[in-house]
Amino acid sequence: MSTTSSRPGVPGVPVIPPVPSAPSPEHRRERASGARLGWDPGQPALYEQWGVPAPGPKRSMGSDIGLLPELEQTETTRRPLWKHPAFIVSAALAVVAVAVAVVMIVHAVTAEGPPKVRDLAIESGSGNVHVSWGGPDVAWSVYVVEPGTRPVDVTGQARGTELWLPTAGGLYDADSCFVVRATAANQGKAVPTDAGTRASQGAGQVCLGDAG
């Protein structure tokens, strides 16, 4: 294409290429439809339109972004059973229960119970009766008992581990028996009238019929 005039005798004038002054009807239709050739995603910029530079290079249709990173499975170590809090609490309670049971058994086996009367004896003389016994150094109570009557407390006549009781006092007769038991260990308990209760209270009984 020549850039100078071909007319003879006319100095050469550069020829300016034609520049579109307005968008073509096709361009108007494209804009009305919302499509912009070379501008919308996926359409490469082919040229500059109407003096507006084309945008920067567009991303290719394919995607080079990888998938989301997979979560790495954390390998958890299972806690041993003996380290579990519930197991520790259960074991502690079991140990306490066993300890309490052992203490109770030992106490039941070794407990001596109330002080027991030993070697209880009676002697009847002219005008009095003498009752003697053995046992720990504790305070003792002595009662006169007869079938069908209330026990009579004669502890005030006792001295240590023996009792002298005169006949003139009328506190006993030929059918009377004497029950001896530790005072403090049997406080508030009824005077025993049978062998089983006497054994549980550590008491002993001797009757005038057994006097020598």
Side-chain angles (χ1 to χ4, degrees), residues 13-110:
V13 179
V15 179
I16 300 174
V19 176
S21 59
S24 63
E26 291 80 4
H27 180 71
R28 292 194 185 94
R29 286 194 297 272
E30 291 175 358
R31 295 193 63 180
S33 64
R36 301 175 63 194
L37 182 60
W39 287 59
D40 291 339
Q43 297 178 351
L46 302 179
Y47 54 86
E48 297 180 0
Q49 292 186 356
W50 321 121
V52 180
K58 293 184 171 48
R59 191 171 58 186
S60 61
M61 296 297 290
S63 176
D64 56 355
I65 301 177
L67 299 176
L68 292 175
E70 295 184 2
L71 296 177
E72 295 183 1
Q73 185 175 3
T74 304
E75 186 174 346
T76 56
T77 303
R78 297 187 62 182
R79 181 184 299 176
L81 179 61
W82 59 272
K83 287 186 177 181
H84 198 281
F87 177 82
I88 295 175
V89 172
S90 300
L93 292 177
V95 171
V96 172
V98 171
V100 171
V102 170
V103 170
M104 293 181 64
I105 293 174
V106 172
H107 179 72
V109 172
T110 60

Side-chain angles (χ1 to χ4, degrees), residues 136-210:
D137 186 15
V138 298
W140 299 94
S141 299
V142 184
Y143 303 89
V144 178
V145 296
E146 291 184 13
T149 62
R150 295 184 61 183
V152 179
D153 189 353
V154 293
T155 303
Q157 306 296 325
R159 296 294 181 271
T161 57
E162 60 181 357
L163 168 72
W164 293 91
L165 197 62
T167 306
L171 297 176
Y172 68 92
D173 56 26
D175 297 329
S176 298
C177 295
F178 294 85
V179 174
V180 181
R181 69 180 186 181
T183 303
N186 298 286
Q187 193 71 33
K189 297 179 181 179
V191 178
T193 57
D194 58 88
T197 307
R198 285 195 297 270
S200 65
Q201 296 184 8
Q205 176 177 289
V206 66
C207 298
L208 276 175
D210 303 326

